[in-house]
Amino acid sequence: MTDTDIAPDPLGTQLFSTMPFTERLGVEVLECGPELVRSRLAWDESRCTLGTAMHGGALMSLADATAAVCAFLNLPEGKQGTTTVESKTNFLRAVRSGHATATAKPLHAGRSFIVVETEIRDDAGKLVAKVTQTQAVL
């Protein structure tokens, strides 16, 4: 089964829809749970920079939104949200067609901060970017 065969995740779609920018960008939720959140963004000329490569800002937005949902699902009891306070991205290759798929996993879920690691891969499964993000607990 490929990602194109997977129906969008209803809980994830609801959580992502609270971020209008990701909805406008076209992020699609594939899987959503406290241990793993997966989403993807289709390559489109409108999301590219020179040379038909998907823009780094689009990839970072995909990673930020995916990590934010992962952090939200790992909130301590009684807390209501998170906000990104630090994000580090390493770009390793371009996405020139298909989809960029982000997979976010929690590295640390504390009372004040949640650290999430996100990998973005292309349709061939090759690593496109690695993102480590810190979210402040609100």
Side-chain angles (χ1 to χ4, degrees):
M1 184 184 302
T2 65
D3 284 343
T4 56
D5 300 326
I6 298 173
D9 181 279
L11 170 63
T13 300
Q14 180 184 2
L15 290 172
F16 273 78
S17 72
T18 64
M19 298 178 281
F21 179 70
T22 59
E23 195 169 44
R24 181 167 175 94
L25 194 58
V27 174
E28 181 183 5
V29 185
L30 301 173
E31 192 174 343
C32 186
E35 296 302 315
L36 183 131
V37 177
R38 276 187 340 118
S39 65
R40 70 180 180 181
L41 183 61
W43 180 94
D44 185 273
E45 189 175 318
S46 68
R47 298 182 187 112
C48 289
T49 185
L50 297 174
T52 68
M54 190 179 289
H55 194 284
L59 294 169
M60 291 174 75
S61 294
L62 173 65
D64 184 61
T66 306
V69 170
C70 184
F72 179 81
L73 293 172
N74 283 280
L75 280 171
E77 191 173 323
K79 298 298 181 176
Q80 298 178 5
T82 68
T83 190
T84 306
V85 294
E86 190 270 340
S87 186
K88 161 79 167 81
T89 304
N90 287 82
F91 294 105
L92 306 169
R93 69 177 19 90
V95 175
R96 297 190 193 289
S97 64
H99 293 87
T101 301
T103 303
K105 297 178 181 180
L107 293 178
H108 170 76
R111 291 179 297 162
S112 301
F113 295 99
I114 298 172
V115 180
V116 179
E117 184 173 74
T118 305
E119 289 187 348
I120 300 176
R121 295 186 178 270
D122 63 15
D123 284 343
K126 293 184 178 180
L127 188 61
V128 170
K130 187 101 162 186
V131 182
T132 304
Q133 186 178 102
T134 303
Q135 296 263 342
V137 174
L138 305 176

